[in-house]
Amino acid sequence: MSRHLINEYRADLDRLRAVSGSRRESVLREAFKDLLKGWGRTNDLLFVPEHDIVTPQKNRIYLDGALLHALRVPFGYWEAKDADDDLDAEIAAKTRKGYPRDNIIYSDDHTAVLLQDGREVSRVSMEDTEALYGLMDRFFSHERQEIADFNKAVRQFAQDLPAVLEALRDLIAKKLIGSPAFA
C-alpha cells in the first residue's frame, strides 16, 4: 500500500508540473502533502496544514504541516521548499529559528531529508521509490521518547495489575473478617 502511495505522489507531482507549469513550492507541495496525509491515516494520525507552534525562543512559527495523534500530541512535522532553494541552507535557517528536530521531513520535489532526535538520519532522492519508502517508513515508525516511556509504563502496569488486584482482594478479605467496622 505504501509504495502505491509513493507512486500516486509521483503521478500527482507530474500532473501538477504539466498542468501548472510551475516549480513553486506552494503548487508542488500539494502532492507530497497528500502522500503524508494518506500514510498518516493508515497510522491514525491527522495531517494539519500550516500548523503553528511556539519555539523555545518564544517565536510563533507555522510549519507546512504536522501529523498529530487524536489527542493533539504532535507525531511529526513537514517543511516544503522550492526546488531552487538550497535545502541545507534552508534546514540550517529553520533550525536557528527553533523549528522542531525530533521528527521532521524537509522536502523539495527532488530530495527529502529526515531529521530525528536532533540529527539527520536520511536523505533520499524523490525518484528512488525504495529509498523514499525507507525514509517514510522510518518517519512513521519514530516514537518520541516521552511516548516510548509512557507506552513502557502502560505495558509494565498491565503486567503488574493482576498481582496488585490479588493483593488488594486479599487485604479486603482479611479486613472483612477481622474488622466488623470495616465490613
Side-chain angles (χ1 to χ4, degrees):
M1 176 62 177
S2 304
R3 285 173 181 81
H4 174 72
L5 290 172
I6 290 172
N7 290 333
E8 281 183 6
Y9 154 71
R10 284 217 191 85
D12 287 346
L13 187 61
D14 289 344
R15 280 191 293 275
L16 282 169
R17 283 181 186 140
V19 172
S20 73
S22 178
R23 294 173 40 90
R24 288 191 355 252
E25 165 199 335
S26 58
V27 174
L28 300 180
R29 73 180 180 179
E30 294 302 313
F32 198 73
K33 181 194 301 185
D34 289 344
L35 173 62
L36 288 168
K37 287 167 70 172
W39 207 311
R41 274 192 297 273
T42 67
N43 288 277
D44 296 321
L45 298 168
L46 180 65
F47 183 89
V48 178
E50 302 303 320
H51 181 68
D52 68 311
I53 62 172
V54 176
T55 69
Q57 296 94 333
K58 306 295 183 217
N59 299 319
R60 182 169 301 280
I61 60 170
Y62 295 87
L63 293 122
D64 288 325
L67 288 145
L68 305 178
H69 295 281
L71 297 174
R72 297 184 58 191
V73 174
F75 172 81
Y77 306 96
W78 167 61
E79 265 300 300
K81 297 288 134 214
D82 285 322
D84 295 332
D85 290 340
D86 179 335
L87 200 52
D88 290 325
E90 291 291 329
I91 292 169
K94 298 291 184 178
T95 297
R96 283 190 300 278
K97 288 181 181 176
Y99 276 61
R101 294 177 48 86
D102 54 338
N103 194 29
I104 184 168
I105 296 173
Y106 286 91
S107 68
D108 58 27
D109 57 328
H110 299 294
T111 305
V113 178
L114 175 61
L115 305 177
Q116 290 180 325
D117 303 319
R119 63 186 180 82
E120 183 177 319
V121 296
S122 185
R123 179 180 295 255
V124 302
S125 165
M126 295 295 228
E127 298 300 317
D128 184 338
T129 299
E130 288 308 307
L132 184 55
Y133 174 83
L135 179 139
M136 296 294 288
D137 186 54
R138 189 166 186 174
F139 176 76
F140 282 102
S141 297
H142 187 263
E143 189 173 46
R144 293 169 47 159
Q145 189 58 50
E146 61 268 26
I147 301 290
D149 292 345
F150 175 79
N151 288 335
K152 182 180 176 185
V154 167
R155 286 189 300 274
Q156 187 63 49
F157 181 74
Q159 269 184 344
D160 295 345
L161 189 58
V164 169
L165 290 174
E166 186 62 33
L168 285 173
R169 286 186 187 111
D170 288 346
L171 185 61
I172 291 169
K174 287 177 185 171
K175 279 292 191 181
L176 284 172
I177 293 170
S179 173
F182 180 78

PDB file of all heavy atoms in Angstrom, residues 133-164:
ATOM      1  N   TYR A 133      10.546   5.134   0.260  1.00  0.00           N
ATOM      2  CA  TYR A 133       9.763   4.245   1.131  1.00  0.00           C
ATOM      3  C   TYR A 133      10.482   4.077   2.479  1.00  0.00           C
ATOM      4  O   TYR A 133       9.849   4.167   3.537  1.00  0.00           O
ATOM      5  CB  TYR A 133       9.557   2.881   0.473  1.00  0.00           C
ATOM      6  CG  TYR A 133       8.891   1.890   1.394  1.00  0.00           C
ATOM      7  CD1 TYR A 133       7.510   1.875   1.531  1.00  0.00           C
ATOM      8  CD2 TYR A 133       9.640   1.001   2.145  1.00  0.00           C
ATOM      9  CE1 TYR A 133       6.893   0.991   2.398  1.00  0.00           C
ATOM     10  CE2 TYR A 133       9.030   0.117   3.017  1.00  0.00           C
ATOM     11  CZ  TYR A 133       7.662   0.110   3.138  1.00  0.00           C
ATOM     12  OH  TYR A 133       7.057  -0.769   4.007  1.00  0.00           O
ATOM     13  N   GLY A 134      11.787   3.867   2.448  1.00  0.00           N
ATOM     14  CA  GLY A 134      12.554   3.703   3.684  1.00  0.00           C
ATOM     15  C   GLY A 134      12.496   4.944   4.555  1.00  0.00           C
ATOM     16  O   GLY A 134      12.338   4.858   5.783  1.00  0.00           O
ATOM     17  N   LEU A 135      12.627   6.120   3.943  1.00  0.00           N
ATOM     18  CA  LEU A 135      12.550   7.365   4.704  1.00  0.00           C
ATOM     19  C   LEU A 135      11.166   7.516   5.328  1.00  0.00           C
ATOM     20  O   LEU A 135      11.034   7.837   6.520  1.00  0.00           O
ATOM     21  CB  LEU A 135      12.853   8.555   3.795  1.00  0.00           C
ATOM     22  CG  LEU A 135      12.776   9.934   4.461  1.00  0.00           C
ATOM     23  CD1 LEU A 135      13.918  10.812   3.989  1.00  0.00           C
ATOM     24  CD2 LEU A 135      11.452  10.613   4.198  1.00  0.00           C
ATOM     25  N   MET A 136      10.127   7.292   4.550  1.00  0.00           N
ATOM     26  CA  MET A 136       8.765   7.439   5.061  1.00  0.00           C
ATOM     27  C   MET A 136       8.481   6.410   6.161  1.00  0.00           C
ATOM     28  O   MET A 136       7.866   6.736   7.179  1.00  0.00           O
ATOM     29  CB  MET A 136       7.754   7.291   3.919  1.00  0.00           C
ATOM     30  CG  MET A 136       7.857   8.369   2.862  1.00  0.00           C
ATOM     31  SD  MET A 136       7.428  10.006   3.456  1.00  0.00           S
ATOM     32  CE  MET A 136       5.667   9.824   3.644  1.00  0.00           C
ATOM     33  N   ASP A 137       8.940   5.183   5.961  1.00  0.00           N
ATOM     34  CA  ASP A 137       8.741   4.144   6.968  1.00  0.00           C
ATOM     35  C   ASP A 137       9.438   4.526   8.272  1.00  0.00           C
ATOM     36  O   ASP A 137       8.884   4.376   9.359  1.00  0.00           O
ATOM     37  CB  ASP A 137       9.267   2.801   6.443  1.00  0.00           C
ATOM     38  CG  ASP A 137       8.949   1.664   7.386  1.00  0.00           C
ATOM     39  OD1 ASP A 137       7.769   1.488   7.733  1.00  0.00           O
ATOM     40  OD2 ASP A 137       9.897   0.947   7.785  1.00  0.00           O
ATOM     41  N   ARG A 138      10.636   5.047   8.153  1.00  0.00           N
ATOM     42  CA  ARG A 138      11.384   5.473   9.347  1.00  0.00           C
ATOM     43  C   ARG A 138      10.682   6.646  10.032  1.00  0.00           C
ATOM     44  O   ARG A 138      10.589   6.697  11.254  1.00  0.00           O
ATOM     45  CB  ARG A 138      12.812   5.846   8.963  1.00  0.00           C
ATOM     46  CG  ARG A 138      13.702   6.076  10.155  1.00  0.00           C
ATOM     47  CD  ARG A 138      15.153   6.105   9.762  1.00  0.00           C
ATOM     48  NE  ARG A 138      15.965   6.192  10.961  1.00  0.00           N
ATOM     49  CZ  ARG A 138      17.264   6.116  10.975  1.00  0.00           C
ATOM     50  NH1 ARG A 138      17.930   5.932   9.849  1.00  0.00           N
ATOM     51  NH2 ARG A 138      17.929   6.208  12.098  1.00  0.00           N
ATOM     52  N   PHE A 139      10.187   7.599   9.247  1.00  0.00           N
ATOM     53  CA  PHE A 139       9.447   8.735   9.788  1.00  0.00           C
ATOM     54  C   PHE A 139       8.234   8.244  10.578  1.00  0.00           C
ATOM     55  O   PHE A 139       8.008   8.657  11.723  1.00  0.00           O
ATOM     56  CB  PHE A 139       9.009   9.660   8.650  1.00  0.00           C
ATOM     57  CG  PHE A 139       8.147  10.823   9.076  1.00  0.00           C
ATOM     58  CD1 PHE A 139       8.700  11.927   9.705  1.00  0.00           C
ATOM     59  CD2 PHE A 139       6.776  10.816   8.824  1.00  0.00           C
ATOM     60  CE1 PHE A 139       7.911  13.012  10.093  1.00  0.00           C
ATOM     61  CE2 PHE A 139       5.984  11.892   9.205  1.00  0.00           C
ATOM     62  CZ  PHE A 139       6.549  12.985   9.836  1.00  0.00           C
ATOM     63  N   PHE A 140       7.440   7.356   9.978  1.00  0.00           N
ATOM     64  CA  PHE A 140       6.209   6.901  10.619  1.00  0.00           C
ATOM     65  C   PHE A 140       6.443   5.841  11.691  1.00  0.00           C
ATOM     66  O   PHE A 140       5.527   5.537  12.463  1.00  0.00           O
ATOM     67  CB  PHE A 140       5.206   6.414   9.576  1.00  0.00           C
ATOM     68  CG  PHE A 140       4.503   7.545   8.879  1.00  0.00           C
ATOM     69  CD1 PHE A 140       4.877   7.945   7.607  1.00  0.00           C
ATOM     70  CD2 PHE A 140       3.480   8.240   9.514  1.00  0.00           C
ATOM     71  CE1 PHE A 140       4.237   9.007   6.983  1.00  0.00           C
ATOM     72  CE2 PHE A 140       2.838   9.296   8.898  1.00  0.00           C
ATOM     73  CZ  PHE A 140       3.219   9.682   7.631  1.00  0.00           C
ATOM     74  N   SER A 141       7.645   5.308  11.794  1.00  0.00           N
ATOM     75  CA  SER A 141       7.979   4.349  12.850  1.00  0.00           C
ATOM     76  C   SER A 141       8.567   5.032  14.076  1.00  0.00           C
ATOM     77  O   SER A 141       8.736   4.397  15.120  1.00  0.00           O
ATOM     78  CB  SER A 141       8.992   3.324  12.331  1.00  0.00           C
ATOM     79  OG  SER A 141       8.439   2.581  11.281  1.00  0.00           O
ATOM     80  N   HIS A 142       8.894   6.296  13.940  1.00  0.00           N
ATOM     81  CA  HIS A 142       9.547   7.022  15.038  1.00  0.00           C
ATOM     82  C   HIS A 142       8.620   7.134  16.245  1.00  0.00           C
ATOM     83  O   HIS A 142       7.411   7.322  16.102  1.00  0.00           O
ATOM     84  CB  HIS A 142       9.949   8.425  14.575  1.00  0.00           C
ATOM     85  CG  HIS A 142      10.773   9.169  15.566  1.00  0.00           C
ATOM     86  ND1 HIS A 142      10.223  10.076  16.446  1.00  0.00           N
ATOM     87  CD2 HIS A 142      12.090   9.136  15.849  1.00  0.00           C
ATOM     88  CE1 HIS A 142      11.177  10.581  17.210  1.00  0.00           C
ATOM     89  NE2 HIS A 142      12.320  10.023  16.870  1.00  0.00           N
ATOM     90  N   GLU A 143       9.216   7.012  17.417  1.00  0.00           N
ATOM     91  CA  GLU A 143       8.459   7.173  18.654  1.00  0.00           C
ATOM     92  C   GLU A 143       9.217   8.140  19.543  1.00  0.00           C
ATOM     93  O   GLU A 143      10.368   7.887  19.897  1.00  0.00           O
ATOM     94  CB  GLU A 143       8.279   5.818  19.349  1.00  0.00           C
ATOM     95  CG  GLU A 143       7.339   5.841  20.508  1.00  0.00           C
ATOM     96  CD  GLU A 143       7.049   4.458  21.056  1.00  0.00           C
ATOM     97  OE1 GLU A 143       7.997   3.674  21.250  1.00  0.00           O
ATOM     98  OE2 GLU A 143       5.873   4.161  21.296  1.00  0.00           O
ATOM     99  N   ARG A 144       8.580   9.259  19.877  1.00  0.00           N
ATOM    100  CA  ARG A 144       9.208  10.237  20.758  1.00  0.00           C
ATOM    101  C   ARG A 144       9.500   9.582  22.101  1.00  0.00           C
ATOM    102  O   ARG A 144       8.772   8.694  22.549  1.00  0.00           O
ATOM    103  CB  ARG A 144       8.281  11.438  20.940  1.00  0.00           C
ATOM    104  CG  ARG A 144       8.103  12.234  19.673  1.00  0.00           C
ATOM    105  CD  ARG A 144       7.008  13.237  19.760  1.00  0.00           C
ATOM    106  NE  ARG A 144       7.070  14.025  20.996  1.00  0.00           N
ATOM    107  CZ  ARG A 144       6.501  15.199  21.129  1.00  0.00           C
ATOM    108  NH1 ARG A 144       5.841  15.718  20.132  1.00  0.00           N
ATOM    109  NH2 ARG A 144       6.581  15.853  22.248  1.00  0.00           N
ATOM    110  N   GLN A 145      10.559  10.026  22.755  1.00  0.00           N
ATOM    111  CA  GLN A 145      10.996   9.393  23.995  1.00  0.00           C
ATOM    112  C   GLN A 145       9.905   9.406  25.058  1.00  0.00           C
ATOM    113  O   GLN A 145       9.682   8.407  25.734  1.00  0.00           O
ATOM    114  CB  GLN A 145      12.273  10.059  24.528  1.00  0.00           C
ATOM    115  CG  GLN A 145      12.894   9.303  25.690  1.00  0.00           C
ATOM    116  CD  GLN A 145      13.254   7.863  25.346  1.00  0.00           C
ATOM    117  OE1 GLN A 145      13.901   7.603  24.340  1.00  0.00           O
ATOM    118  NE2 GLN A 145      12.805   6.922  26.153  1.00  0.00           N
ATOM    119  N   GLU A 146       9.200  10.520  25.204  1.00  0.00           N
ATOM    120  CA  GLU A 146       8.158  10.565  26.229  1.00  0.00           C
ATOM    121  C   GLU A 146       7.010   9.612  25.916  1.00  0.00           C
ATOM    122  O   GLU A 146       6.411   9.026  26.815  1.00  0.00           O
ATOM    123  CB  GLU A 146       7.643  11.998  26.464  1.00  0.00           C
ATOM    124  CG  GLU A 146       7.022  12.661  25.271  1.00  0.00           C
ATOM    125  CD  GLU A 146       7.975  13.477  24.421  1.00  0.00           C
ATOM    126  OE1 GLU A 146       9.191  13.202  24.417  1.00  0.00           O
ATOM    127  OE2 GLU A 146       7.504  14.403  23.745  1.00  0.00           O
ATOM    128  N   ILE A 147       6.721   9.410  24.626  1.00  0.00           N
ATOM    129  CA  ILE A 147       5.693   8.449  24.229  1.00  0.00           C
ATOM    130  C   ILE A 147       6.191   7.032  24.495  1.00  0.00           C
ATOM    131  O   ILE A 147       5.453   6.186  25.005  1.00  0.00           O
ATOM    132  CB  ILE A 147       5.318   8.620  22.738  1.00  0.00           C
ATOM    133  CG1 ILE A 147       4.808  10.039  22.462  1.00  0.00           C
ATOM    134  CG2 ILE A 147       4.330   7.574  22.292  1.00  0.00           C
ATOM    135  CD1 ILE A 147       3.469  10.380  23.055  1.00  0.00           C
ATOM    136  N   ALA A 148       7.453   6.766  24.162  1.00  0.00           N
ATOM    137  CA  ALA A 148       8.035   5.445  24.424  1.00  0.00           C
ATOM    138  C   ALA A 148       8.018   5.142  25.922  1.00  0.00           C
ATOM    139  O   ALA A 148       7.666   4.021  26.335  1.00  0.00           O
ATOM    140  CB  ALA A 148       9.458   5.373  23.880  1.00  0.00           C
ATOM    141  N   ASP A 149       8.380   6.123  26.746  1.00  0.00           N
ATOM    142  CA  ASP A 149       8.371   5.928  28.199  1.00  0.00           C
ATOM    143  C   ASP A 149       6.956   5.661  28.704  1.00  0.00           C
ATOM    144  O   ASP A 149       6.746   4.792  29.546  1.00  0.00           O
ATOM    145  CB  ASP A 149       8.953   7.151  28.914  1.00  0.00           C
ATOM    146  CG  ASP A 149      10.438   7.333  28.664  1.00  0.00           C
ATOM    147  OD1 ASP A 149      11.097   6.376  28.179  1.00  0.00           O
ATOM    148  OD2 ASP A 149      10.957   8.437  28.938  1.00  0.00           O
ATOM    149  N   PHE A 150       5.987   6.416  28.180  1.00  0.00           N
ATOM    150  CA  PHE A 150       4.595   6.212  28.582  1.00  0.00           C
ATOM    151  C   PHE A 150       4.127   4.810  28.186  1.00  0.00           C
ATOM    152  O   PHE A 150       3.514   4.099  28.992  1.00  0.00           O
ATOM    153  CB  PHE A 150       3.698   7.272  27.948  1.00  0.00           C
ATOM    154  CG  PHE A 150       2.235   7.061  28.226  1.00  0.00           C
ATOM    155  CD1 PHE A 150       1.700   7.431  29.452  1.00  0.00           C
ATOM    156  CD2 PHE A 150       1.401   6.503  27.272  1.00  0.00           C
ATOM    157  CE1 PHE A 150       0.354   7.233  29.720  1.00  0.00           C
ATOM    158  CE2 PHE A 150       0.061   6.301  27.530  1.00  0.00           C
ATOM    159  CZ  PHE A 150      -0.466   6.672  28.756  1.00  0.00           C
ATOM    160  N   ASN A 151       4.412   4.397  26.946  1.00  0.00           N
ATOM    161  CA  ASN A 151       3.998   3.068  26.488  1.00  0.00           C
ATOM    162  C   ASN A 151       4.658   1.963  27.313  1.00  0.00           C
ATOM    163  O   ASN A 151       4.026   0.947  27.614  1.00  0.00           O
ATOM    164  CB  ASN A 151       4.302   2.890  25.000  1.00  0.00           C
ATOM    165  CG  ASN A 151       3.360   3.703  24.134  1.00  0.00           C
ATOM    166  OD1 ASN A 151       2.242   4.018  24.529  1.00  0.00           O
ATOM    167  ND2 ASN A 151       3.804   4.056  22.948  1.00  0.00           N
ATOM    168  N   LYS A 152       5.905   2.164  27.699  1.00  0.00           N
ATOM    169  CA  LYS A 152       6.597   1.196  28.552  1.00  0.00           C
ATOM    170  C   LYS A 152       5.912   1.109  29.919  1.00  0.00           C
ATOM    171  O   LYS A 152       5.707   0.015  30.455  1.00  0.00           O
ATOM    172  CB  LYS A 152       8.069   1.603  28.717  1.00  0.00           C
ATOM    173  CG  LYS A 152       8.876   0.649  29.549  1.00  0.00           C
ATOM    174  CD  LYS A 152      10.309   1.120  29.659  1.00  0.00           C
ATOM    175  CE  LYS A 152      11.110   0.211  30.587  1.00  0.00           C
ATOM    176  NZ  LYS A 152      12.458   0.720  30.789  1.00  0.00           N
ATOM    177  N   ALA A 153       5.542   2.264  30.467  1.00  0.00           N
ATOM    178  CA  ALA A 153       4.852   2.281  31.763  1.00  0.00           C
ATOM    179  C   ALA A 153       3.496   1.586  31.673  1.00  0.00           C
ATOM    180  O   ALA A 153       3.097   0.849  32.594  1.00  0.00           O
ATOM    181  CB  ALA A 153       4.689   3.719  32.250  1.00  0.00           C
ATOM    182  N   VAL A 154       2.777   1.793  30.573  1.00  0.00           N
ATOM    183  CA  VAL A 154       1.482   1.141  30.382  1.00  0.00           C
ATOM    184  C   VAL A 154       1.660  -0.378  30.329  1.00  0.00           C
ATOM    185  O   VAL A 154       0.903  -1.128  30.950  1.00  0.00           O
ATOM    186  CB  VAL A 154       0.782   1.671  29.113  1.00  0.00           C
ATOM    187  CG1 VAL A 154      -0.402   0.799  28.720  1.00  0.00           C
ATOM    188  CG2 VAL A 154       0.346   3.110  29.315  1.00  0.00           C
ATOM    189  N   ARG A 155       2.669  -0.840  29.583  1.00  0.00           N
ATOM    190  CA  ARG A 155       2.917  -2.291  29.499  1.00  0.00           C
ATOM    191  C   ARG A 155       3.278  -2.862  30.871  1.00  0.00           C
ATOM    192  O   ARG A 155       2.804  -3.933  31.248  1.00  0.00           O
ATOM    193  CB  ARG A 155       4.025  -2.585  28.477  1.00  0.00           C
ATOM    194  CG  ARG A 155       3.585  -2.424  27.029  1.00  0.00           C
ATOM    195  CD  ARG A 155       4.626  -2.935  26.039  1.00  0.00           C
ATOM    196  NE  ARG A 155       5.898  -2.247  26.130  1.00  0.00           N
ATOM    197  CZ  ARG A 155       6.207  -1.117  25.510  1.00  0.00           C
ATOM    198  NH1 ARG A 155       5.306  -0.535  24.747  1.00  0.00           N
ATOM    199  NH2 ARG A 155       7.395  -0.569  25.648  1.00  0.00           N
ATOM    200  N   GLN A 156       4.119  -2.134  31.612  1.00  0.00           N
ATOM    201  CA  GLN A 156       4.508  -2.592  32.946  1.00  0.00           C
ATOM    202  C   GLN A 156       3.303  -2.630  33.881  1.00  0.00           C
ATOM    203  O   GLN A 156       3.122  -3.566  34.646  1.00  0.00           O
ATOM    204  CB  GLN A 156       5.610  -1.704  33.527  1.00  0.00           C
ATOM    205  CG  GLN A 156       6.179  -2.204  34.831  1.00  0.00           C
ATOM    206  CD  GLN A 156       6.853  -3.559  34.688  1.00  0.00           C
ATOM    207  OE1 GLN A 156       7.670  -3.771  33.802  1.00  0.00           O
ATOM    208  NE2 GLN A 156       6.479  -4.498  35.540  1.00  0.00           N
ATOM    209  N   PHE A 157       2.453  -1.603  33.808  1.00  0.00           N
ATOM    210  CA  PHE A 157       1.253  -1.557  34.630  1.00  0.00           C
ATOM    211  C   PHE A 157       0.338  -2.738  34.309  1.00  0.00           C
ATOM    212  O   PHE A 157      -0.210  -3.374  35.217  1.00  0.00           O
ATOM    213  CB  PHE A 157       0.516  -0.230  34.424  1.00  0.00           C
ATOM    214  CG  PHE A 157      -0.726  -0.092  35.243  1.00  0.00           C
ATOM    215  CD1 PHE A 157      -0.641   0.145  36.612  1.00  0.00           C
ATOM    216  CD2 PHE A 157      -1.975  -0.193  34.655  1.00  0.00           C
ATOM    217  CE1 PHE A 157      -1.786   0.274  37.382  1.00  0.00           C
ATOM    218  CE2 PHE A 157      -3.124  -0.070  35.420  1.00  0.00           C
ATOM    219  CZ  PHE A 157      -3.030   0.168  36.776  1.00  0.00           C
ATOM    220  N   ALA A 158       0.173  -3.027  33.022  1.00  0.00           N
ATOM    221  CA  ALA A 158      -0.663  -4.160  32.620  1.00  0.00           C
ATOM    222  C   ALA A 158      -0.105  -5.469  33.158  1.00  0.00           C
ATOM    223  O   ALA A 158      -0.868  -6.361  33.548  1.00  0.00           O
ATOM    224  CB  ALA A 158      -0.789  -4.202  31.097  1.00  0.00           C
ATOM    225  N   GLN A 159       1.210  -5.600  33.205  1.00  0.00           N
ATOM    226  CA  GLN A 159       1.838  -6.805  33.770  1.00  0.00           C
ATOM    227  C   GLN A 159       1.635  -6.883  35.273  1.00  0.00           C
ATOM    228  O   GLN A 159       1.387  -7.947  35.819  1.00  0.00           O
ATOM    229  CB  GLN A 159       3.345  -6.800  33.494  1.00  0.00           C
ATOM    230  CG  GLN A 159       3.755  -7.474  32.247  1.00  0.00           C
ATOM    231  CD  GLN A 159       5.288  -7.494  32.125  1.00  0.00           C
ATOM    232  OE1 GLN A 159       5.994  -6.772  32.816  1.00  0.00           O
ATOM    233  NE2 GLN A 159       5.766  -8.329  31.235  1.00  0.00           N
ATOM    234  N   ASP A 160       1.769  -5.748  35.953  1.00  0.00           N
ATOM    235  CA  ASP A 160       1.692  -5.706  37.408  1.00  0.00           C
ATOM    236  C   ASP A 160       0.258  -5.739  37.934  1.00  0.00           C
ATOM    237  O   ASP A 160       0.038  -6.123  39.090  1.00  0.00           O
ATOM    238  CB  ASP A 160       2.377  -4.445  37.941  1.00  0.00           C
ATOM    239  CG  ASP A 160       3.872  -4.430  37.678  1.00  0.00           C
ATOM    240  OD1 ASP A 160       4.436  -5.487  37.344  1.00  0.00           O
ATOM    241  OD2 ASP A 160       4.474  -3.337  37.802  1.00  0.00           O
ATOM    242  N   LEU A 161      -0.697  -5.340  37.155  1.00  0.00           N
ATOM    243  CA  LEU A 161      -2.069  -5.188  37.621  1.00  0.00           C
ATOM    244  C   LEU A 161      -2.668  -6.457  38.229  1.00  0.00           C
ATOM    245  O   LEU A 161      -3.287  -6.378  39.300  1.00  0.00           O
ATOM    246  CB  LEU A 161      -2.956  -4.652  36.495  1.00  0.00           C
ATOM    247  CG  LEU A 161      -4.370  -4.247  36.894  1.00  0.00           C
ATOM    248  CD1 LEU A 161      -4.326  -3.174  37.981  1.00  0.00           C
ATOM    249  CD2 LEU A 161      -5.142  -3.746  35.683  1.00  0.00           C
ATOM    250  N   PRO A 162      -2.525  -7.640  37.638  1.00  0.00           N
ATOM    251  CA  PRO A 162      -3.115  -8.827  38.269  1.00  0.00           C
ATOM    252  C   PRO A 162      -2.587  -9.068  39.697  1.00  0.00           C
ATOM    253  O   PRO A 162      -3.371  -9.393  40.598  1.00  0.00           O
ATOM    254  CB  PRO A 162      -2.712  -9.972  37.324  1.00  0.00           C
ATOM    255  CG  PRO A 162      -2.534  -9.307  35.995  1.00  0.00           C
ATOM    256  CD  PRO A 162      -1.966  -7.954  36.313  1.00  0.00           C
ATOM    257  N   ALA A 163      -1.301  -8.886  39.915  1.00  0.00           N
ATOM    258  CA  ALA A 163      -0.738  -9.089  41.254  1.00  0.00           C
ATOM    259  C   ALA A 163      -1.253  -8.028  42.224  1.00  0.00           C
ATOM    260  O   ALA A 163      -1.553  -8.326  43.389  1.00  0.00           O
ATOM    261  CB  ALA A 163       0.788  -9.066  41.192  1.00  0.00           C
ATOM    262  N   VAL A 164      -1.364  -6.786  41.763  1.00  0.00           N
ATOM    263  CA  VAL A 164      -1.880  -5.701  42.612  1.00  0.00           C
ATOM    264  C   VAL A 164      -3.336  -5.984  42.988  1.00  0.00           C
ATOM    265  O   VAL A 164      -3.730  -5.842  44.159  1.00  0.00           O
ATOM    266  CB  VAL A 164      -1.740  -4.333  41.897  1.00  0.00           C
ATOM    267  CG1 VAL A 164      -2.500  -3.243  42.640  1.00  0.00           C
ATOM    268  CG2 VAL A 164      -0.279  -3.960  41.729  1.00  0.00           C
TER     269      VAL A 164
END
